[in-house]
Amino acid sequence: MALFAVFQTTYLLALLSLRTYESEVLSEPLPLTPESLKVSVNSTCQCLHLQWTVHSLAYHQELKMVFQIQISRFKTSNVIWVENYSTTVKQNQVLHWSWESELPLECAAHFIRMRSVVDDSRIPESGFWSNWSSWEEADAQNLLGHDPLFVFPKDKLVEEGSNVTICYVSRIHQDNISCYLEGVQIHGEQLDRSVTAFELKNVSFIRKKGTNVFCKMEQGGVLGGIVLFVSKVLQEPKDFSCETQDLKTLTCTWDPGSDTGLTKQPSQSYTLFESFSGKRTLCKHRNWCNWQVAQDSQETYNFTLLAENYLRKRSVSILFNLTQRVHPMTPYNLFPKNVGATNATMTWKVHSIGNNSTLLCQLELLTEEKVIQQHNVSIKVNGEYLLSELEPDTEYVARVRCAYTKHFWKWSEFISQKFNTAEAAPSEAPDVWRNMKMVSGHPTVSLFWKPLSKVHANGKILFYNVTVENLDKPSRLEVLSIPAPARSTELTLDQCSYQIHVTAHNSVGPSPASVIVVSGDPGNEEVEKGRVNGTEDGFSVSWKPQSGDATGYVVEWCDGPQDLPCVLQWKNLGPNTTSTVISSGAFRPGVRYNFRIYGISTKRMAHLLEKKAGYLEELAPSDNPQVVMSNLTSHSFTLSWKDYSTESQPGFIQGYHVYLKPKAGEQCHQAFEKTVLPEDSVCCKYTIDNPEQKTFVVENLQPESVYEFFVTPYTSVGEGPLDAFTKVTTPDEYSHILIRIILPMVFCVLIVMIICYLKSQWLKEKCYPDIPDPYKSSVLSLIKSKENPHLTIMNVNDCVPDAIEVINKPEGSKIQFLGTRKSLTETEFTKPAYLYLLPTEKNYSGPGPCICFENFTYNQAASDFASCGHFPVTPQAPPPQLGPLTSPENLLKALEQNYMNSLGEIPAGEANLNYVSQLASPTSGDKDSLPTNPPEPALCSEYKMQMAIPLGLASAPPRENSSLSSTTLLGQGEHCS
Amino acid sequence: MLPAAGEPAAGDSWGMLACLCAVLWHLPAVPAHNRTGDPGPGPSIQKTYDLTRYLEHQLRSLAGTYLNYLGPPFNEPDFNPPRLGAETLPRATVNLEVWRSLNDRLRLTQNYEAYSHLLCYLRGLNRQAATAELRRSLAHFCTSLQGLLGSIAGVMAALGYPLPQPLPGTEPTWTPGPAHSDFLQKMDDFWLLKELQTWLWRSAKDFNRLKKKMQPPAAAVTLHLEAHGF
C-alpha cells in the first residue's frame, strides 16, 4: 500500500513536471494563486503586515510576479486601497508586504485579499490573473477591553507638520461624545455607528509632555484620551568643523539646531564617524565631540557627523588635513619688563605644538582701546619684544595671540596685560595769560594758566612755580609755588614792569617756563570796537595786523554771559595770524560775548588792539523797555525808555518799534505805517532805527481821545514780545485856556476882596449904611427945625400882640403862625393875600407890653413891588366884614383912597410903594366887638405904619392928619406899657 | 503669656520694663519651665500639624506648575477625571463616621502608610519630569514630605506605637505597564497630586484632633512658650 502510494506520488510529480514543462514549451497560461495569506496588525506603526506564499511554483523556479492587494474597511465591499506589488518569487518563499493605515487600525476592521499574475518575459502570454484569495480580516477591536470609550492612536510619535488621524470607538452608542485637542473641541467624521475620526493637519510641537487629545461622554463621566507626541523636525548640524590645539586631540563642534527631545523620545544623538580609520564615537554633548588623534600619523581625516532620533537621521561630512586645522592655545605669562617712560619689554610663553613647531605671535599695543602698535614675532616657546615710542605716564594694554606657522588656520585667543609707563618732566610750558586791574590803587595782575595736556604733562603736575622779576630796578626774584590743580594766582605790583615766569612741575622736574611781561599800567586805552559774527563753528575774529614787532596775538574773552562772573578764556596765535575762529562749548545763542585782541610785543608785553562783540546767534529781544510817558497835551505826548540797556540784550538792538493804537476810525499818521498785530488788531507802527534814541514824541493826536502805545526793541531776528499796550487819554483842547483865564480871575477877585475888606468901612457907608437911629435921624432935626412940639419919638416898649396880621407876599414870603407854630409857604399866590388871625381867650394873657415903632425914614423909593402894599384898616370895618377887602382890588382901592386922603399932596404915581405892615393886630377878649374908638396914644403904644417918604419929599413937612391916616387895630384890652 | 513672668512691683515702671526685657531675652532658653521631664507628644503633634499646613501651601504651587506641564485638560480648574489607573494610590477620602471611630494608632498608621506610598510615587514623578525646574520643585517637595513622614514616625514613637512594616514584595512602584498609555499616566499624575492634597488636608484634621486629645487639662497648662525666630 505504501509502496503504491509512493509510486502514485512519483507519478503525479512526474506528471506535474511534465505538464510544467509542456506549459513552458507550449506557452500555456499558468495561474499561480497566493496562498497561506496571513494578516497581522502592528499598532505602534498602525501597519497591516501581510505574508503569503505561492505553492504552485516549480522547484528552483524563479518567476517575476505581480500581486494585486485589495484592502477594504469595515466591510469587504468597501475597498479603500488597491496596490500591485511586484517581486520575484521562488518556490516556498514567504512573501511580506506592509501597509500603513492613516486611520488607526483599532478603529475599524480591515479585510485583505490578493491575486497574482506572472510577469516574466520567459513565459509569454502569461498575463492572466489568478483567482482572488479569500478575504482575511484584521480586526484590532477584538483586542480592546471592555471600556466604554477608546481613543486611538495611543501615544503616537509624529514630526511637526504631519497630518494625523485620530478616532474613537464607543461601546455605548451615544451621540453626545465630544472630543478636545488641548482643551479645544474638535469635530470629526463619523465612519461607523461607533467610530468617529478626526483629521489633525499640520500638527505643531506644544510641549515635551505631548499634546493631549481626549473625548468624553456627557453622561457617566466616561473619559478617554491619548497623548500625541509631536517632535520638532531634526535639523542638519550646521557649522560642523574640527580643529586641534596640540595635534593630539581633535575637537569637532557644530550647531545642533533645535532639540527634538520629548518624554516619548530622547533628544537627538550625535555620532562621529571617521571613514579612513573606520572608527566611530558616540558624542556625549549636543554640540561638540573630542576625537583622539591616532599615533600612526594619519594626516587626512574624513569625518561624518550623524544626528538621529526615532523619526529621522541627518548627517554632514568634512574632509581636512590635520596640520591645517591647528588652533593654538592661548599664550600665557605675558608680563612687562623694564618699563621706562617711553619703552617697555614684553615677555610671554606659548604651549608647544608637536616637536619644534614654530608659532607666529602677534603683539598689539593698545591705549584707550585703540591699537597703536602691532608687531609679529616668531617664537617656539618664549616670546619677548621691546616696545618703544611710548608716552610717559600712560596706561597701555599689551596683548598677544599666536598662530601655527606651518599652516595658518586660526589665531589663538588673546592674552592681555596692562602696564603704565614712567613719568617724565613736562614737555611744554604752560599757556599763561594775565588780567590787569587796579585794586585799592595798586596795579594787580591776575595770572591764569591752562593745565597741561596729558601729552605734555608727562605725569601728574604737582605744583606751579611763578617767578616775578622786576625789570625796572634790580631786586630779588620772588618765587611763588602754587600747588596743583590751581589755575590762577594774583600778584599785587607797583608801577614798575615785571617779567613773570611760570613753570609746571611733576615728580620728575619742571616744564619749560612761560614768560609774560606786565607793567603797572592797567592799559585802559581806547581802542577800536567792532562786531563779530557768530557761526556754527564759533566766532570768526579778525583784526588788523599790528605794525611793528608783534610776536603773536592773544584773543581774550569770557565764556559766560556778562552778568555772570567771568571765566577768562584766551587763545594764543602766531605773529602772522590776523584772524581765528573762537569756538567753545560754553557759547550759547542770545548771549553777547566780548572779545579783546592783544598784540604781544617782543618784550612779551601785551597791548590791547581791538574789541569785538558778537552773538553766536542773535535772538529777538526777550523783554521790552519800561516806557515812561510825559508831556501829555491834547495833541501829543512823549515816551522815553532811558533805562533800557542795549548791551545786555540777546541780540544787537537795531532800533525800536513804537506801536500806537489810534482811536476808532482815525488813520495812522504819515510817519507811522499801518500794521496788523497777531491778535488781528490794526495799529500804527513807527520804526526808530537808532538804538540810542530812547525817546519819542507822539504827535498829531486828537484831544480828548484814548490812545494805546507800546514800545518794543528789535534785532536782526525780530522784535520783542508783544506786551500789553498802555492807555493814555489826551486832555481837552481848551482846558489850558480856561486855566489861563480862571486863574487870573480868581486872583483878581481875591484882590478885590482884600481891597473891599480893607475899605469895608468906606464901603459900608457907601453901600449899606447903618439903619438910622430915630433919635439921630435927620428927619428929627427936620421936625425939630419945624418946631413941631407934638411930634415926638416913641419909645420902644415890649408889647404882647393880641393878634398878628400876616401878609403873604406873592414872591413866596414865609408867613408864620405864631398860634399854631406852623409855617406855610405860599408860592402859588400871584397877588397878596391877607389873613387875620385872632387870638383865642386862652392865648390872651391880659394886658401886656407891646412895642410900637414909628419909622418915618423908611424909604422904599427903589422898590418896584407895586403889587404889594399895605393899607390901613378902618376901625369901623368889623373883621367879619373884612372879607370883601381881601380882594386885592378892593385893598388897592382902599389903600389908594386912604393915602389920597391922608397924603393929598403925594402924587398918585408915587403911591406904588411897598409897605410892610408892622402893625400889631388888636386883641380883644370880645370877638364881637371891635374897637371903635380911635387909639389913644397916651394909653397904648402904637405901631404906626411905616411911611414911605418919596425921595423928593423927604424933607417935606408932614401934615397934621397924616398921623391919623395910620389905622390902628387894637383890641380893647390892649395896653402899652 | 506674660502673666507667667510674675507680677512686677507696682509703680516701678523701670523695673517692670527690665523684667519684661529679661523675660523676652530668655524666651528662647525657656522651653517649658513648668514642665518637668518628658514634654510628651504634644509639641511633635503640633509640629506635624504645622508641617502639613506648610506642605499644603507648598503643594498648591507645585501642583499648579505640574498640571500646566501636563497641559489641558489637566490644568483646567473643573477637570475631574474618573480614577481609572490610580487604584493603587492610597485613598484619603473616608466615611466621616469611620474616620471618627479611628483610634490614634490606626489614624497615625494610615497617615504613615499613605505618605510612604505617595512619597514613592512622587519620586517616580520626579524622575520622569522633563524640565530641570520642575525636577527641582519636586525634589524640594519630596524632601519636605520625607520630613513629614519622619515627623509622623516621631509622634508614633512618642505614643509608643510601632511603625508599620512594609510587606516584602509590595513596594509600590510607579512604573506604568505596557498597556498603560501616556494619557492614563497623566491621569495618574493628576490623581497623585489630588490625593496628596486630600491627604494633607486630612492629616491636618487628624493632627488637630490628636493635638486636642493630647492636650492636658486646662488647669495643668500654665505656660506654653514658642520661641520661633529667636
Side-chain angles (χ1 to χ4, degrees), chain A residues 155 182 207 209-210 212 214 221 223 225-227 229 264, chain B residues 69-74 76 79 81-82 181-183 186-187:
Chain A
D155 312 332
E182 284 291 308
R207 69 177 73 80
K209 196 69 178 169
N212 302 321
F214 72 100
L223 186 84
I226 59 154
V227 178
F229 290 95
K264 190 75 175 176
Chain B
Y69 163 71
L70 295 182
F74 301 99
E76 289 169 358
F79 182 63
S181 73
D182 279 282
F183 192 79
K186 284 188 175 185
M187 294 246 279

PDB file of all heavy atoms in Angstrom, chain A residues 155 182 207 209-210 212 214 221 223 225-227 229 264, chain B residues 69-74 76 79 81-82 181-183 186-187:
ATOM      1  N   ASP A 155      -0.404  57.251  22.040  1.00  0.00           N
ATOM      2  CA  ASP A 155       0.979  57.711  22.206  1.00  0.00           C
ATOM      3  C   ASP A 155       1.757  57.702  20.898  1.00  0.00           C
ATOM      4  O   ASP A 155       2.885  57.223  20.825  1.00  0.00           O
ATOM      5  CB  ASP A 155       1.703  56.841  23.243  1.00  0.00           C
ATOM      6  CG  ASP A 155       0.884  56.669  24.496  1.00  0.00           C
ATOM      7  OD1 ASP A 155       0.087  57.568  24.800  1.00  0.00           O
ATOM      8  OD2 ASP A 155       1.016  55.632  25.160  1.00  0.00           O
ATOM      9  N   GLU A 182      -6.155  69.710  23.168  1.00  0.00           N
ATOM     10  CA  GLU A 182      -5.606  70.720  24.079  1.00  0.00           C
ATOM     11  C   GLU A 182      -6.717  71.617  24.627  1.00  0.00           C
ATOM     12  O   GLU A 182      -6.576  72.835  24.706  1.00  0.00           O
ATOM     13  CB  GLU A 182      -4.552  71.573  23.367  1.00  0.00           C
ATOM     14  CG  GLU A 182      -3.232  70.868  23.194  1.00  0.00           C
ATOM     15  CD  GLU A 182      -2.495  70.637  24.498  1.00  0.00           C
ATOM     16  OE1 GLU A 182      -2.327  71.603  25.247  1.00  0.00           O
ATOM     17  OE2 GLU A 182      -2.133  69.477  24.781  1.00  0.00           O
ATOM     18  N   ARG A 207       4.487  70.792  23.688  1.00  0.00           N
ATOM     19  CA  ARG A 207       5.298  70.583  24.895  1.00  0.00           C
ATOM     20  C   ARG A 207       5.937  69.214  24.836  1.00  0.00           C
ATOM     21  O   ARG A 207       5.504  68.334  24.070  1.00  0.00           O
ATOM     22  CB  ARG A 207       4.443  70.748  26.146  1.00  0.00           C
ATOM     23  CG  ARG A 207       3.415  69.681  26.359  1.00  0.00           C
ATOM     24  CD  ARG A 207       2.675  69.890  27.653  1.00  0.00           C
ATOM     25  NE  ARG A 207       1.749  71.009  27.554  1.00  0.00           N
ATOM     26  CZ  ARG A 207       0.549  70.925  26.975  1.00  0.00           C
ATOM     27  NH1 ARG A 207       0.146  69.806  26.415  1.00  0.00           N
ATOM     28  NH2 ARG A 207      -0.255  71.948  26.931  1.00  0.00           N
ATOM     29  N   LYS A 209       5.835  67.020  26.998  1.00  0.00           N
ATOM     30  CA  LYS A 209       4.975  66.012  27.604  1.00  0.00           C
ATOM     31  C   LYS A 209       3.868  65.575  26.640  1.00  0.00           C
ATOM     32  O   LYS A 209       3.037  64.748  26.978  1.00  0.00           O
ATOM     33  CB  LYS A 209       4.373  66.611  28.887  1.00  0.00           C
ATOM     34  CG  LYS A 209       3.764  65.629  29.862  1.00  0.00           C
ATOM     35  CD  LYS A 209       4.782  64.745  30.550  1.00  0.00           C
ATOM     36  CE  LYS A 209       4.110  63.820  31.557  1.00  0.00           C
ATOM     37  NZ  LYS A 209       5.025  62.789  32.052  1.00  0.00           N
ATOM     38  N   GLY A 210       3.830  66.131  25.466  1.00  0.00           N
ATOM     39  CA  GLY A 210       2.885  65.679  24.442  1.00  0.00           C
ATOM     40  C   GLY A 210       1.623  66.516  24.386  1.00  0.00           C
ATOM     41  O   GLY A 210       1.302  67.270  25.312  1.00  0.00           O
ATOM     42  N   ASN A 212      -2.368  66.724  24.262  1.00  0.00           N
ATOM     43  CA  ASN A 212      -3.457  65.916  24.798  1.00  0.00           C
ATOM     44  C   ASN A 212      -4.681  65.985  23.893  1.00  0.00           C
ATOM     45  O   ASN A 212      -5.133  67.072  23.520  1.00  0.00           O
ATOM     46  CB  ASN A 212      -3.853  66.399  26.197  1.00  0.00           C
ATOM     47  CG  ASN A 212      -2.679  66.350  27.157  1.00  0.00           C
ATOM     48  OD1 ASN A 212      -1.891  65.414  27.116  1.00  0.00           O
ATOM     49  ND2 ASN A 212      -2.558  67.354  28.013  1.00  0.00           N
ATOM     50  N   PHE A 214      -8.540  64.259  24.007  1.00  0.00           N
ATOM     51  CA  PHE A 214      -9.402  63.402  24.813  1.00  0.00           C
ATOM     52  C   PHE A 214     -10.855  63.592  24.403  1.00  0.00           C
ATOM     53  O   PHE A 214     -11.238  64.632  23.860  1.00  0.00           O
ATOM     54  CB  PHE A 214      -9.212  63.664  26.313  1.00  0.00           C
ATOM     55  CG  PHE A 214      -9.788  64.962  26.797  1.00  0.00           C
ATOM     56  CD1 PHE A 214     -11.019  65.003  27.447  1.00  0.00           C
ATOM     57  CD2 PHE A 214      -9.116  66.149  26.607  1.00  0.00           C
ATOM     58  CE1 PHE A 214     -11.551  66.194  27.892  1.00  0.00           C
ATOM     59  CE2 PHE A 214      -9.636  67.337  27.053  1.00  0.00           C
ATOM     60  CZ  PHE A 214     -10.855  67.364  27.693  1.00  0.00           C
ATOM     61  N   GLY A 221     -19.593  60.474  32.951  1.00  0.00           N
ATOM     62  CA  GLY A 221     -18.221  60.869  33.233  1.00  0.00           C
ATOM     63  C   GLY A 221     -17.188  59.968  32.576  1.00  0.00           C
ATOM     64  O   GLY A 221     -16.082  59.808  33.087  1.00  0.00           O
ATOM     65  N   LEU A 223     -14.380  58.990  30.140  1.00  0.00           N
ATOM     66  CA  LEU A 223     -13.323  59.815  29.550  1.00  0.00           C
ATOM     67  C   LEU A 223     -12.287  58.906  28.911  1.00  0.00           C
ATOM     68  O   LEU A 223     -11.925  57.872  29.460  1.00  0.00           O
ATOM     69  CB  LEU A 223     -12.667  60.657  30.639  1.00  0.00           C
ATOM     70  CG  LEU A 223     -11.644  61.672  30.193  1.00  0.00           C
ATOM     71  CD1 LEU A 223     -12.328  62.945  29.754  1.00  0.00           C
ATOM     72  CD2 LEU A 223     -10.690  61.978  31.332  1.00  0.00           C
ATOM     73  N   GLY A 225      -8.621  59.225  26.324  1.00  0.00           N
ATOM     74  CA  GLY A 225      -7.745  60.187  25.674  1.00  0.00           C
ATOM     75  C   GLY A 225      -6.434  59.570  25.250  1.00  0.00           C
ATOM     76  O   GLY A 225      -6.119  58.432  25.603  1.00  0.00           O
ATOM     77  N   ILE A 226      -5.720  60.321  24.476  1.00  0.00           N
ATOM     78  CA  ILE A 226      -4.391  59.907  24.055  1.00  0.00           C
ATOM     79  C   ILE A 226      -3.466  61.099  24.171  1.00  0.00           C
ATOM     80  O   ILE A 226      -3.919  62.247  24.318  1.00  0.00           O
ATOM     81  CB  ILE A 226      -4.391  59.424  22.587  1.00  0.00           C
ATOM     82  CG1 ILE A 226      -4.894  60.554  21.679  1.00  0.00           C
ATOM     83  CG2 ILE A 226      -5.192  58.156  22.421  1.00  0.00           C
ATOM     84  CD1 ILE A 226      -4.390  60.469  20.274  1.00  0.00           C
ATOM     85  N   VAL A 227      -2.178  60.783  24.119  1.00  0.00           N
ATOM     86  CA  VAL A 227      -1.186  61.847  24.046  1.00  0.00           C
ATOM     87  C   VAL A 227      -0.491  61.704  22.707  1.00  0.00           C
ATOM     88  O   VAL A 227       0.026  60.625  22.378  1.00  0.00           O
ATOM     89  CB  VAL A 227      -0.173  61.750  25.199  1.00  0.00           C
ATOM     90  CG1 VAL A 227       0.869  62.835  25.067  1.00  0.00           C
ATOM     91  CG2 VAL A 227      -0.887  61.854  26.537  1.00  0.00           C
ATOM     92  N   PHE A 229       2.525  62.740  20.558  1.00  0.00           N
ATOM     93  CA  PHE A 229       3.851  63.339  20.730  1.00  0.00           C
ATOM     94  C   PHE A 229       4.308  63.914  19.406  1.00  0.00           C
ATOM     95  O   PHE A 229       4.505  63.170  18.437  1.00  0.00           O
ATOM     96  CB  PHE A 229       4.827  62.293  21.240  1.00  0.00           C
ATOM     97  CG  PHE A 229       4.556  61.894  22.661  1.00  0.00           C
ATOM     98  CD1 PHE A 229       3.786  60.776  22.954  1.00  0.00           C
ATOM     99  CD2 PHE A 229       5.034  62.657  23.703  1.00  0.00           C
ATOM    100  CE1 PHE A 229       3.517  60.433  24.261  1.00  0.00           C
ATOM    101  CE2 PHE A 229       4.764  62.308  25.014  1.00  0.00           C
ATOM    102  CZ  PHE A 229       4.004  61.199  25.299  1.00  0.00           C
ATOM    103  N   LYS A 264       8.602  60.997  25.192  1.00  0.00           N
ATOM    104  CA  LYS A 264       8.479  59.751  24.431  1.00  0.00           C
ATOM    105  C   LYS A 264       9.742  59.474  23.623  1.00  0.00           C
ATOM    106  O   LYS A 264       9.946  58.364  23.149  1.00  0.00           O
ATOM    107  CB  LYS A 264       7.282  59.883  23.474  1.00  0.00           C
ATOM    108  CG  LYS A 264       6.860  58.610  22.775  1.00  0.00           C
ATOM    109  CD  LYS A 264       6.132  57.708  23.729  1.00  0.00           C
ATOM    110  CE  LYS A 264       5.588  56.489  23.000  1.00  0.00           C
ATOM    111  NZ  LYS A 264       4.950  55.566  23.957  1.00  0.00           N
TER     112      LYS A 264
ATOM    113  N   TYR B  69       2.318  71.702  33.167  1.00  0.00           N
ATOM    114  CA  TYR B  69       3.277  70.887  32.431  1.00  0.00           C
ATOM    115  C   TYR B  69       2.559  69.733  31.724  1.00  0.00           C
ATOM    116  O   TYR B  69       2.909  69.359  30.605  1.00  0.00           O
ATOM    117  CB  TYR B  69       4.321  70.408  33.436  1.00  0.00           C
ATOM    118  CG  TYR B  69       5.176  69.251  33.014  1.00  0.00           C
ATOM    119  CD1 TYR B  69       6.151  69.398  32.026  1.00  0.00           C
ATOM    120  CD2 TYR B  69       5.058  68.013  33.638  1.00  0.00           C
ATOM    121  CE1 TYR B  69       6.948  68.332  31.665  1.00  0.00           C
ATOM    122  CE2 TYR B  69       5.858  66.950  33.279  1.00  0.00           C
ATOM    123  CZ  TYR B  69       6.804  67.106  32.284  1.00  0.00           C
ATOM    124  OH  TYR B  69       7.593  66.048  31.933  1.00  0.00           O
ATOM    125  N   LEU B  70       1.512  69.198  32.360  1.00  0.00           N
ATOM    126  CA  LEU B  70       0.738  68.135  31.716  1.00  0.00           C
ATOM    127  C   LEU B  70      -0.119  68.690  30.584  1.00  0.00           C
ATOM    128  O   LEU B  70      -0.376  68.008  29.610  1.00  0.00           O
ATOM    129  CB  LEU B  70      -0.167  67.442  32.737  1.00  0.00           C
ATOM    130  CG  LEU B  70       0.534  66.672  33.856  1.00  0.00           C
ATOM    131  CD1 LEU B  70      -0.502  66.001  34.748  1.00  0.00           C
ATOM    132  CD2 LEU B  70       1.480  65.623  33.283  1.00  0.00           C
ATOM    133  N   GLY B  71      -0.531  69.916  30.720  1.00  0.00           N
ATOM    134  CA  GLY B  71      -1.336  70.555  29.665  1.00  0.00           C
ATOM    135  C   GLY B  71      -2.816  70.345  29.893  1.00  0.00           C
ATOM    136  O   GLY B  71      -3.248  69.579  30.754  1.00  0.00           O
ATOM    137  N   PRO B  72      -3.631  71.014  29.051  1.00  0.00           N
ATOM    138  CA  PRO B  72      -5.076  70.844  29.170  1.00  0.00           C
ATOM    139  C   PRO B  72      -5.485  69.416  28.819  1.00  0.00           C
ATOM    140  O   PRO B  72      -4.836  68.797  27.978  1.00  0.00           O
ATOM    141  CB  PRO B  72      -5.650  71.826  28.144  1.00  0.00           C
ATOM    142  CG  PRO B  72      -4.506  72.644  27.665  1.00  0.00           C
ATOM    143  CD  PRO B  72      -3.263  71.912  27.970  1.00  0.00           C
ATOM    144  N   PRO B  73      -6.457  68.845  29.408  1.00  0.00           N
ATOM    145  CA  PRO B  73      -7.416  69.441  30.348  1.00  0.00           C
ATOM    146  C   PRO B  73      -6.975  69.328  31.806  1.00  0.00           C
ATOM    147  O   PRO B  73      -7.725  69.682  32.697  1.00  0.00           O
ATOM    148  CB  PRO B  73      -8.653  68.585  30.113  1.00  0.00           C
ATOM    149  CG  PRO B  73      -8.091  67.228  29.822  1.00  0.00           C
ATOM    150  CD  PRO B  73      -6.818  67.459  29.079  1.00  0.00           C
ATOM    151  N   PHE B  74      -5.749  68.814  32.042  1.00  0.00           N
ATOM    152  CA  PHE B  74      -5.373  68.538  33.437  1.00  0.00           C
ATOM    153  C   PHE B  74      -5.201  69.805  34.262  1.00  0.00           C
ATOM    154  O   PHE B  74      -5.303  69.769  35.485  1.00  0.00           O
ATOM    155  CB  PHE B  74      -4.076  67.712  33.442  1.00  0.00           C
ATOM    156  CG  PHE B  74      -4.218  66.418  32.703  1.00  0.00           C
ATOM    157  CD1 PHE B  74      -3.767  66.281  31.400  1.00  0.00           C
ATOM    158  CD2 PHE B  74      -4.855  65.336  33.284  1.00  0.00           C
ATOM    159  CE1 PHE B  74      -3.925  65.107  30.703  1.00  0.00           C
ATOM    160  CE2 PHE B  74      -5.014  64.145  32.590  1.00  0.00           C
ATOM    161  CZ  PHE B  74      -4.559  64.020  31.291  1.00  0.00           C
ATOM    162  N   GLU B  76      -7.082  72.401  33.914  1.00  0.00           N
ATOM    163  CA  GLU B  76      -8.336  73.158  33.984  1.00  0.00           C
ATOM    164  C   GLU B  76      -8.947  72.977  35.366  1.00  0.00           C
ATOM    165  O   GLU B  76      -8.918  71.865  35.924  1.00  0.00           O
ATOM    166  CB  GLU B  76      -9.295  72.674  32.903  1.00  0.00           C
ATOM    167  CG  GLU B  76      -8.814  73.096  31.513  1.00  0.00           C
ATOM    168  CD  GLU B  76      -9.589  72.423  30.399  1.00  0.00           C
ATOM    169  OE1 GLU B  76     -10.476  71.599  30.711  1.00  0.00           O
ATOM    170  OE2 GLU B  76      -9.284  72.712  29.240  1.00  0.00           O
ATOM    171  N   PHE B  79     -11.606  70.198  35.984  1.00  0.00           N
ATOM    172  CA  PHE B  79     -11.328  68.863  35.434  1.00  0.00           C
ATOM    173  C   PHE B  79     -11.393  67.825  36.564  1.00  0.00           C
ATOM    174  O   PHE B  79     -10.688  67.937  37.557  1.00  0.00           O
ATOM    175  CB  PHE B  79      -9.950  68.872  34.776  1.00  0.00           C
ATOM    176  CG  PHE B  79      -9.594  67.566  34.135  1.00  0.00           C
ATOM    177  CD1 PHE B  79     -10.332  67.066  33.067  1.00  0.00           C
ATOM    178  CD2 PHE B  79      -8.524  66.812  34.598  1.00  0.00           C
ATOM    179  CE1 PHE B  79     -10.001  65.861  32.471  1.00  0.00           C
ATOM    180  CE2 PHE B  79      -8.183  65.602  34.007  1.00  0.00           C
ATOM    181  CZ  PHE B  79      -8.930  65.128  32.944  1.00  0.00           C
ATOM    182  N   PRO B  81     -11.398  63.890  36.339  1.00  0.00           N
ATOM    183  CA  PRO B  81     -11.471  62.666  35.549  1.00  0.00           C
ATOM    184  C   PRO B  81     -11.810  61.465  36.416  1.00  0.00           C
ATOM    185  O   PRO B  81     -11.627  61.499  37.644  1.00  0.00           O
ATOM    186  CB  PRO B  81     -10.056  62.558  34.987  1.00  0.00           C
ATOM    187  CG  PRO B  81      -9.207  63.180  36.021  1.00  0.00           C
ATOM    188  CD  PRO B  81     -10.024  64.265  36.647  1.00  0.00           C
ATOM    189  N   PRO B  82     -12.306  60.417  35.792  1.00  0.00           N
ATOM    190  CA  PRO B  82     -12.526  59.188  36.570  1.00  0.00           C
ATOM    191  C   PRO B  82     -11.176  58.620  37.012  1.00  0.00           C
ATOM    192  O   PRO B  82     -10.152  58.828  36.367  1.00  0.00           O
ATOM    193  CB  PRO B  82     -13.227  58.272  35.583  1.00  0.00           C
ATOM    194  CG  PRO B  82     -12.838  58.793  34.243  1.00  0.00           C
ATOM    195  CD  PRO B  82     -12.659  60.267  34.404  1.00  0.00           C
ATOM    196  N   SER B 181      -1.246  53.740  28.871  1.00  0.00           N
ATOM    197  CA  SER B 181      -0.929  54.791  27.896  1.00  0.00           C
ATOM    198  C   SER B 181      -0.439  56.045  28.606  1.00  0.00           C
ATOM    199  O   SER B 181      -0.588  56.209  29.816  1.00  0.00           O
ATOM    200  CB  SER B 181      -2.171  55.117  27.079  1.00  0.00           C
ATOM    201  OG  SER B 181      -3.074  55.839  27.867  1.00  0.00           O
ATOM    202  N   ASP B 182       0.138  56.943  27.819  1.00  0.00           N
ATOM    203  CA  ASP B 182       0.638  58.198  28.389  1.00  0.00           C
ATOM    204  C   ASP B 182      -0.499  59.047  28.932  1.00  0.00           C
ATOM    205  O   ASP B 182      -0.320  59.789  29.893  1.00  0.00           O
ATOM    206  CB  ASP B 182       1.404  58.966  27.318  1.00  0.00           C
ATOM    207  CG  ASP B 182       2.805  58.441  27.172  1.00  0.00           C
ATOM    208  OD1 ASP B 182       3.648  58.779  28.006  1.00  0.00           O
ATOM    209  OD2 ASP B 182       3.031  57.663  26.230  1.00  0.00           O
ATOM    210  N   PHE B 183      -1.652  58.929  28.288  1.00  0.00           N
ATOM    211  CA  PHE B 183      -2.786  59.710  28.780  1.00  0.00           C
ATOM    212  C   PHE B 183      -3.206  59.207  30.157  1.00  0.00           C
ATOM    213  O   PHE B 183      -3.462  60.001  31.069  1.00  0.00           O
ATOM    214  CB  PHE B 183      -3.950  59.610  27.790  1.00  0.00           C
ATOM    215  CG  PHE B 183      -5.035  60.601  28.066  1.00  0.00           C
ATOM    216  CD1 PHE B 183      -4.919  61.922  27.681  1.00  0.00           C
ATOM    217  CD2 PHE B 183      -6.183  60.221  28.743  1.00  0.00           C
ATOM    218  CE1 PHE B 183      -5.911  62.835  27.950  1.00  0.00           C
ATOM    219  CE2 PHE B 183      -7.183  61.140  29.019  1.00  0.00           C
ATOM    220  CZ  PHE B 183      -7.046  62.446  28.615  1.00  0.00           C
ATOM    221  N   LYS B 186      -0.801  60.375  32.663  1.00  0.00           N
ATOM    222  CA  LYS B 186      -1.062  61.760  33.064  1.00  0.00           C
ATOM    223  C   LYS B 186      -2.221  61.811  34.055  1.00  0.00           C
ATOM    224  O   LYS B 186      -2.211  62.618  34.999  1.00  0.00           O
ATOM    225  CB  LYS B 186      -1.382  62.613  31.840  1.00  0.00           C
ATOM    226  CG  LYS B 186      -0.169  62.969  30.997  1.00  0.00           C
ATOM    227  CD  LYS B 186      -0.524  63.976  29.928  1.00  0.00           C
ATOM    228  CE  LYS B 186       0.704  64.425  29.157  1.00  0.00           C
ATOM    229  NZ  LYS B 186       0.414  65.473  28.194  1.00  0.00           N
ATOM    230  N   MET B 187      -3.224  60.972  33.814  1.00  0.00           N
ATOM    231  CA  MET B 187      -4.355  60.928  34.754  1.00  0.00           C
ATOM    232  C   MET B 187      -3.877  60.469  36.119  1.00  0.00           C
ATOM    233  O   MET B 187      -4.310  60.983  37.164  1.00  0.00           O
ATOM    234  CB  MET B 187      -5.419  59.973  34.222  1.00  0.00           C
ATOM    235  CG  MET B 187      -6.064  60.445  32.941  1.00  0.00           C
ATOM    236  SD  MET B 187      -7.782  60.830  33.118  1.00  0.00           S
ATOM    237  CE  MET B 187      -8.488  59.216  33.017  1.00  0.00           C
TER     238      MET B 187
END
